[in-house]
Amino acid sequence: YWCGKERLGAREGTMPDEGALVEMYGECVRTLVEAVKEENLTWTNEISEKFSLPARLANMFVDEYGADEAAKLAQAMNTRGPVVCRVNAARGASKAEVIEMLKAEGVGDIEDAFAHLVPGAFWLKDGAPANGGIYGSKTWVDGFYEVQDEGSQLIAASVDAAPGDVVLDACAGNGGKTLALASSMLGVGKICAFDVDKRRLKHLLANIERAQVRNIVEALENIGSLDELPAASFDAVLVDAPCSSVGALRRTPSLRYTHDDPYELAKIQLEILRRASRLVKPNGGRLIYATCSVVSIENQNVARAFEAHHADFAPWPFEMPVPTSPNVALHEHERLLLPHVLGTDGFYISRWKRD
C-alpha cells in the first residue's frame, strides 16, 4: 500500500488516507507507516528480494541479461503497464477519428503514439476511462478500437497479413491477435482461429462480432488438432505459443510465483511449431513464432531447435531493427521486446519463409 502510494505514483483518490486505515485496522497502521519511511529502510542488493521475484526467476533474468540489466527489467515488471490501444482499420475510421470519438466520450489525455512500433497504436495516458472503463466505452462497444499492448500489436504486424491472404492463428486464445490480423486485412481474405481450449474461442466469437470482422474470421470450434487441417493450405501461420508469460508480469503479478516451467513449455512450443509448419504453403508462405516470455529457453532456443530440423524454412529478416538488450545476440529475423527498453510488455518474435 504505502510503497504504491509513495513510489508508484498512484492516482489521487484511489487509496484511503492514513486516518481511514487506522479506523479500520487500528494503531498498528501508524507503526507500519513509520517502518516504511525511507530513513528506516534498508534496501537489499539481491534482485529476488528487492523486486519480489522468486530466486529461480531472478537468476534466469541475471543469466540472460547480467545483474545490472536484470535489475532494470525486474523494476519495469513492478511498474504499472500503460493502456495502449489499436485502431480497428476494418471499421473504416482513421486513428485521428477514433481518438476524437473517445474525446467526445470524455476520455482525457490521449497520445497518438506510444513506442512508435506500429502505426495504429495510441495511448490512454490517464489509463482506462472513468465512465465504466474500457467496456463502458461506446467506441469500443462499436468495434472501433481494441486494448492491446503495442508489443502484441507488433507480433500481429510481423505476419505481414494483407487483403486476400488465408491466415491461421494457431494459438488464438481470446483472439487479440486474430482481431489485429483482421484489421490488417481490411475485411478481405480469411483467418482461421484455432485453440485447443474451446472455451477461449467462445470469447473470440463475441469479439469478432463486436469488431465486425465475422465475414473473414472462422473459429475452428470443431477441429481438435492442427493435424486435422490440410497441409500447405495457408499463406501465413502465426504460432503465438503458450508460454510462461514472464514478459507480462506487470499485467498479472501473481504469475511470478505460479508461471509454468519454461523448460517443459519449450518442448510443447517446439511441437506446436513443428505441427504448424506443415500447414504453410511452399514458395514464400510465412511462419511466425512468438511468446510473451523474455527467457531464451522459450525463445531463441526453440527457434534454433526448429531451424535445425526444417531446412525448407529460411529466416525472414525484419526490415527495421527494434531496440533491445545489448546483452542478447539476435538474428535479423528475430525481435526481443523488453519493458525497460521500449515500455511494452516482454515479447519474442521469430519468423521464416518456406522454400
Side-chain angles (χ1 to χ4, degrees):
Y1 168 84
W2 290 104
C3 287
K5 184 173 182 181
E6 299 298 329
R7 297 189 181 86
L8 299 184
R11 285 181 291 176
E12 198 66 35
T14 61
M15 296 182 178
D17 62 21
E18 181 181 331
L21 286 172
V22 170
E23 214 172 296
M24 284 189 286
Y25 300 109
E27 289 298 320
C28 62
V29 170
R30 300 195 195 280
T31 304
L32 176 61
V33 172
E34 188 65 27
V36 298
K37 286 182 178 177
E38 199 69 41
E39 62 268 23
N40 295 327
L41 295 176
T42 301
W43 290 102
T44 177
N45 289 322
E46 290 293 330
I47 290 174
S48 174
E49 295 177 9
K50 189 170 183 178
F51 299 106
S52 298
L53 289 174
R56 186 184 185 213
L57 183 57
N59 290 337
M60 283 185 185
F61 286 177
V62 172
D63 290 345
E64 295 278 344
Y65 303 103
D68 289 346
E69 191 176 7
K72 294 176 183 176
L73 173 60
Q75 185 174 32
M77 296 293 191
N78 285 349
T79 304
R80 181 180 298 173
V83 179
V84 177
C85 304
R86 174 185 56 76
V87 171
N88 178 15
R91 289 289 279 117
S94 69
K95 179 161 66 173
E97 289 170 329
V98 172
I99 289 174
E100 286 305 311
M101 292 179 198
L102 283 166
K103 286 182 177 178
E105 290 188 52
V107 178
D109 201 356
I110 304 175
E111 285 280 340
D112 67 355
F114 179 67
H116 300 277
L117 299 175
V118 291
F122 62 94
W123 176 24
L124 305 185
K125 293 185 72 174
D126 290 335
N131 55 342
I134 296 299
Y135 306 121
S137 161
K138 185 178 187 303
T139 310
W140 180 83
V141 171
D142 290 343
F144 284 100
Y145 77 98
E146 303 294 332
V147 177
Q148 186 174 25
D149 185 85
E150 193 164 355
S152 178
Q153 295 183 44
L154 185 63
I155 291 174
S158 299
V159 178
D160 201 18
D165 276 349
V166 180
V167 179
L168 172 66
D169 188 351
C171 305
N174 294 336
K177 296 175 188 69
T178 307
L179 295 180
L181 292 168
S183 176
S184 299
M185 294 165 64
L186 301 176
V188 180
K190 184 176 182 181
I191 303 170
C192 293
F194 173 82
D195 201 282
V196 292
D197 186 346
K198 303 309 178 188
R199 295 170 300 176
R200 302 189 76 187
L201 289 182
K202 297 291 185 185
H203 293 291
L204 183 148
L205 287 169
N207 286 331
I208 61 179
E209 290 289 352
R210 180 181 49 76
Q212 299 188 23
V213 291
R214 189 71 181 88
N215 60 313
I216 68 164
V217 178
E218 179 185 359
L220 302 178
E221 296 179 274
N222 298 317
I223 300 293
S225 165
L226 292 175
D227 297 338
E228 297 177 37
L229 296 172
S233 53
F234 294 94
D235 297 300
V237 175
L238 170 61
V239 178
D240 180 25
C243 68
S244 65
S245 300
V246 296
L249 294 182
R250 64 188 187 178
R251 306 291 181 182
T252 312
S254 61
L255 275 175
R256 65 190 64 208
Y257 302 107
T258 61
H259 67 81
D260 293 328
D261 182 2
Y263 289 96
E264 292 301 316
L265 285 165
K267 301 172 189 176
I268 298 169
Q269 292 156 349
L270 181 59
E271 181 62 17
I272 295 172
L273 192 54
R274 184 189 67 78
R275 293 187 179 198
S277 68
R278 181 186 67 86
L279 306 173
V280 179
K281 290 180 181 178
N283 302 315
R286 291 106 63 199
L287 177 63
I288 299 86
Y289 173 70
T291 74
C292 54
S293 175
V294 292
V295 293
S296 57
I297 301 158
E298 301 179 82
N299 296 341
Q300 298 97 305
N301 291 9
V302 172
R304 299 296 166 270
F306 173 77
E307 291 166 351
H309 295 93
H310 293 82
D312 54 332
F313 282 86
W316 174 25
F318 288 100
E319 293 180 7
M320 296 291 292
V322 167
T324 190
S325 166
N327 297 317
V328 176
L330 296 173
H331 295 294
E332 291 183 342
H333 66 294
E334 295 175 292
R335 281 175 168 167
L336 178 63
L337 314 180
L338 297 167
H340 66 290
V341 177
L342 292 166
T344 66
D345 291 340
F347 293 98
Y348 170 81
I349 314 168
S350 187
R351 63 184 194 171
W352 305 269
K353 284 188 176 181
R354 193 172 192 180
D355 296 339

